């Protein structure tokens, strides 16, 4: 049986060796009709770019706010930041009974931060104003908002505070321990007194109405305290990144002593926090950006001051090269933006870049959208070659083609139809590494890119079509 099996194997081997040609180099072309062969080609078109001002493009609503001023020695631009914030009230908040004198012992605003930009030794100064108007829920506020919409211009601030990024009044052992870095700003006690007296307020019949003011954050903001505007009023060289603001109302109350009588005093504090439940908004004021935006030698990305790079895609050139013919398929379209090395720059480089159609950039952030690899794309900075690479924007080019085919006059009606904007962003990922949220990057960062009036950007296209 074993010998018989070997015989069959030998016969099969002989049949195979005699039935095949030694030359197999043309086997593919001999069995595929010539008209079905696929021809591929590589073309290069040139995109153009320019710097644009962000203006009302950066949403001000944020969990992180900034305070300070910094002058960029390289460009001469001045970045100044303050913020408007409201405070949350826990549901059915109560002050305990027997508050001594129905008055506050102290009223303190605390600004907590763990990051700052610039020199920790700079003496900075801020002013705090009480808001006269509240931020409106659902209203999109942008970083170029006018703070005077929320408080009466010209009125005296509640207080003025001089501060440093490092608190030199604290011992090193405290700063190096579990100390939470913050700026402590005493406010007039009339604010705390109002908090307490409002809580005990009654109507004409003597019925308590004060507790209704503390039923929730909305009632609290409307009836008790609308919030504060904190602005940088003096100093240059430091900007702190505030992740939480807290308003503390200190008070004393009587408690029972060992004798069982209410004759002992206890000092307590009622905290009210800025949080996701309430609104807060950055207010950025930058000077000198126009000069950078008008510099045609290159383009800029600057955050949070607000410079983006606008790119005009060479869609018409693709028509002229025949890349939009019916028998042609664009397989890949790669574009890369090269960053200049800045030997003297103190700024970090934006890490993640969003490319989005200019006509959709506002809606993208307002609707909390994610990239769709058609009208929007994400990429990260590659430090090894100093580039932001978008590996394939073919779907975007096809989208522009479809719009042009439907309306050849689209360039006149919508000058932005073939334009995209590069915007520094931050992403939030889930446990599986998928991006679930994209927001503006408002950290202090900067990049100067090749481009501008005399330096085009190559768009490399690989296409394919069947032989005629």
């Amino acid at each position: 049986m074993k010998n018989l099996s070997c015989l069959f194997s030998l016969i099969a081997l002989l049949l195979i060796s005699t039935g095949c040609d030694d030359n197999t180099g043309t086997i593919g072309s001999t069995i595929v009709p010539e008209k079905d062969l696929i021809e591929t080609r590589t073309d290069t078109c040139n995109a153009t770019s320019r710097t644009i001002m962000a203006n009302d493009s950066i949403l001000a609503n944020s969990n992180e706010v900034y305070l300070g001023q910094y002058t960029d020695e390289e460009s001469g631009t001045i970045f100044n930041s303050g913020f408007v914030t409201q405070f949350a009230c826990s549901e059915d908040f109560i002050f305990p009974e027997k508050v001594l004198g129905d008055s506050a012992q102290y009223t303190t605003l605390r600004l907590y931060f763990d990051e700052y930009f610039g020199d920790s030794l700079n003496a900075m100064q801020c002013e705090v104003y009480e808001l006269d108007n509240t931020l409106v829920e659902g209203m999109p506020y942008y970083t170029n908002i006018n703070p005077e919409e929320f408080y009466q211009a010209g009125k005296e601030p509640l207080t003025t505070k001089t501060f440093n990024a490092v608190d030199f009044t604290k011992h090193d052992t405290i700063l190096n321990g579990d100390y939470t870095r913050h700026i402590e700003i005493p406010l007039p006690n009339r604010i705390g007194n109002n908090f307490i007296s409002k809580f005990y307020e009654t109507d004409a019949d003597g019925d308590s109405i004060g507790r209704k003011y503390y039923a929730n954050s909305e009632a609290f903001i409307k009836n008790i305290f609308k919030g504060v505007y904190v602005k940088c009023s003096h100093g240059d060289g430091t900007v702190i990144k505030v992740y939480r603001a807290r308003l503390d109302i200190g008070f004393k109350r009587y408690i029972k002593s060992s004798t069982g009588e209410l004759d002992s005093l206890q000092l307590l504090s009622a905290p009210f926090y800025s949080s996701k439940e309430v609104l807060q908004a950055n207010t950025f004021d930058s000077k000198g950006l126009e000069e950078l935006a008008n510099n045609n030698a290159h383009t800029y990305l600057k955050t949070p001051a607000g410079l983006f790079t606008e790119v005009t895609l060479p869609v018409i050139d693709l028509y002229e090269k025949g890349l939009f013919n019916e028998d042609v398929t664009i397989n890949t379209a790669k574009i890369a933006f090269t960053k200049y090395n800045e030997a003297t720059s103190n700024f970090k480089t934006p890490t993640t870049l969003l490319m989005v159609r200019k006509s959709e950039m506002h809606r993208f952030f307002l609707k909390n959208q994610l990239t769709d690899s058609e009208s929007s794309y994400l990429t990260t900075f590659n430090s090894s070659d100093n580039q932001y690479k978008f590996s394939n924007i073919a779907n975007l080019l096809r989208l522009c083609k479809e719009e042009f085919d439907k309306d050849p006059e689209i360039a006149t009606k919508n000058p932005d139809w073939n334009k995209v904007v590069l915007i520094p962003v931050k992403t939030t990922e889930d446990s599986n590494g998928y991006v679930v949220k994209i927001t503006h990057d408002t950290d202090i960062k900067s990049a100067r890119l090749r481009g501008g009036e005399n330096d085009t950007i190559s768009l490399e296209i690989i296409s394919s079509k069947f032989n005629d």
Side-chain angles (χ1 to χ4, degrees), residues 140-435:
Y141 293 105
Y142 294 90
T143 54
N144 65 342
I145 61 174
N146 182 2
E148 294 180 4
E149 296 178 18
F150 307 104
Y151 79 103
Q152 183 180 348
K155 72 177 182 180
E156 290 295 316
L158 293 174
T159 189
T160 300
K161 173 72 175 182
T162 300
F163 66 92
N164 303 89
V166 175
D167 188 349
F168 295 103
T169 65
K170 300 289 191 300
H171 195 275
D172 289 346
T173 55
I174 297 176
L175 296 176
N176 296 329
D178 296 330
Y179 174 75
T180 303
R181 185 176 293 172
H182 68 278
I183 300 169
E184 191 171 300
I185 307 175
L187 299 181
N189 254 355
R190 63 174 176 80
I191 294 175
N193 292 340
N194 183 65
F195 274 51
I196 296 171
S197 63
K198 281 284 189 178
F199 178 80
Y200 296 115
E201 191 171 306
T202 58
D203 60 18
D205 297 325
D207 296 327
S208 174
I209 59 173
R211 292 196 178 195
K212 295 179 182 178
Y213 301 154
Y214 288 88
N216 51 51
S217 294
E218 183 180 359
F220 169 77
I221 293 169
K222 179 181 178 181
N223 297 286
I224 305 297
F225 195 67
K226 294 179 172 58
V228 296
Y229 167 48
V230 186
K231 65 176 287 187
C232 178
S233 55
H234 184 74
D236 188 279
T238 307
V239 178
I240 64 170
K241 181 178 178 180
V242 179
Y243 65 85
R244 177 176 297 164
R246 189 178 87 188
L247 186 62
D248 290 328
I249 310 299
F251 60 92
K252 290 182 178 180
R253 70 163 181 170
Y254 284 110
I255 59 173
K256 290 182 180 181
S257 66
S258 58
T259 63
E261 299 293 330
L262 289 172
D263 55 5
S264 295
L265 289 175
Q266 182 183 39
L267 180 62
L268 298 174
S269 177
F272 299 87
Y273 294 92
S274 64
S275 70
K276 294 180 181 179
E277 299 176 10
V278 295
L279 299 177
Q280 61 181 7
N282 286 293
T283 62
F284 298 154
D285 181 19
S286 298
K287 297 178 176 62
L289 291 182
E290 294 85 356
E291 184 176 346
L292 295 184
N294 294 330
N295 187 331
N296 295 322
H298 34 253
T299 69
Y300 283 97
L301 301 171
K302 274 190 175 292
T303 62
L307 290 179
F308 301 151
T309 290
E310 176 192 282
V311 182
T312 301
L313 301 173
V315 179
I316 301 302
D317 289 352
L318 270 63
Y319 274 100
E320 294 175 351
K321 288 179 178 289
L323 293 171
F324 280 150
N325 293 348
E326 291 186 1
D327 59 343
V328 176
T329 299
I330 295 179
N331 301 312
T332 61
K334 181 174 67 175
I335 190 168
F337 301 89
T338 302
K339 173 185 173 293
Y340 286 99
N341 285 317
E342 310 286 0
T344 61
S345 178
N346 295 320
F347 297 103
K348 293 181 179 179
T349 298
T351 303
T352 306
L353 217 56
L354 168 72
M355 174 189 286
V356 61
R357 297 191 78 181
K358 188 177 181 180
S359 59
E360 300 179 19
M361 59 186 288
H362 287 85
R363 183 168 64 250
F364 184 91
F365 293 101
L366 278 174
K367 301 297 183 181
N368 295 313
Q369 293 179 348
L370 300 177
T371 52
D372 58 8
S373 296
E374 185 174 73
S375 61
S376 55
Y377 301 80
L378 280 179
T379 193
T380 55
F381 180 66
N382 187 334
S383 58
S384 62
D385 54 17
N386 237 25
Q387 286 186 330
Y388 297 96
K389 296 179 181 178
F390 293 90
S391 58
N392 193 1
I393 61 169
N395 288 335
L396 172 60
L397 298 177
R398 282 191 283 268
L399 187 62
C400 292
K401 172 190 180 299
E402 291 171 3
E403 292 179 357
F404 184 85
D405 289 344
K406 289 179 182 178
D407 184 3
E409 301 297 322
I410 190 172
T412 302
K413 299 175 181 177
N414 179 15
D416 295 332
W417 73 285
N418 62 339
K419 292 180 174 61
V420 294
V421 180
L422 306 181
I423 303 174
V425 294
K426 286 184 176 181
T427 59
T428 302
E429 299 179 350
D430 62 14
S431 58
N432 296 316
Y434 293 106
V435 174

Side-chain angles (χ1 to χ4, degrees), residues 13-80:
L13 181 61
L14 290 171
L15 288 173
I16 293 172
S17 62
T18 57
C20 294
D21 195 303
D22 287 339
N23 184 6
T24 60
T26 59
I27 186 169
S29 60
T30 56
I31 63 176
V32 178
E34 186 175 349
K35 66 178 181 178
D36 290 338
L37 290 177
I38 296 176
E39 173 190 345
T40 62
R41 56 182 272 195
T42 300
D43 291 271
T44 300
C45 295
N46 293 322
T48 58
S49 62
R50 70 186 185 105
T51 304
I52 61 173
M53 301 274 289
N55 293 326
D56 63 347
S57 299
I58 303 178
L59 286 170
N61 306 66
S62 173
N63 294 328
E64 299 169 338
V65 290
Y66 297 81
L67 177 64
Q69 179 171 298
Y70 186 87
T71 300
D72 180 6
E73 295 180 359
E74 183 180 13
S75 65
T77 58
I78 301 173
F79 170 70
N80 184 288

